[in-house]
Amino acid sequence: MEKIKMTTPIVEMDGDEMTRILWGWIKETLIEPFVDLKTEYYDLGLLHRNETKDQVTVDAANATRRLGVAVKCATITPNRQRMEEYPELTE
């Protein structure tokens, strides 16, 4: 069976923790065998958002506006409790 061709990429916004793993499985198992998947990838994991001072979030939003479609995984809201789980963010 020939894969469905994509002419325009979609914005792929990776999330945190288990959502990253689940999205990877969904892509690999349910999408990529049937679709010639083209994505523009953005890592919206908490650590990367912190490293980029949230610029990656702005870049992903602008890419979504430009391309018109995106898939976003759940991300962590950096409240006090969650920040304590990531001590490297407060160093």
Side-chain angles (χ1 to χ4, degrees):
M1 182 172 112
E2 189 175 335
K3 289 184 179 185
I4 297 168
K5 303 286 185 210
M6 289 182 65
T7 56
T8 304
I10 64 171
V11 177
E12 176 182 2
M13 296 182 241
D14 221 348
D16 287 296
E17 300 175 339
M18 230 17 226
T19 62
R20 184 179 291 264
I21 294 166
L22 288 171
W23 172 241
W25 180 85
I26 289 167
K27 276 192 336 183
E28 183 179 308
T29 307
L30 302 175
I31 300 173
E32 290 175 341
F34 308 103
V35 178
D36 182 26
L37 188 63
K38 295 181 185 338
T39 66
E40 196 169 302
Y41 180 82
Y42 295 88
D43 180 359
L44 295 188
L46 183 59
L47 296 176
H48 193 245
R49 283 183 284 150
N50 190 61
E51 289 169 2
T52 65
K53 297 184 179 9
D54 270 333
Q55 184 60 48
V56 68
T57 306
V58 173
D59 294 344
N62 286 331
T64 301
R65 182 182 300 147
R66 179 172 40 83
L67 295 174
V69 64
V71 174
K72 181 188 175 293
C73 294
T75 54
I76 292 173
T77 301
N79 60 28
R80 180 176 299 196
Q81 177 186 357
R82 293 312 300 248
M83 294 300 278
E84 289 170 3
E85 294 175 31
Y86 291 88
E88 59 271 24
L89 295 177
T90 57
E91 294 175 345

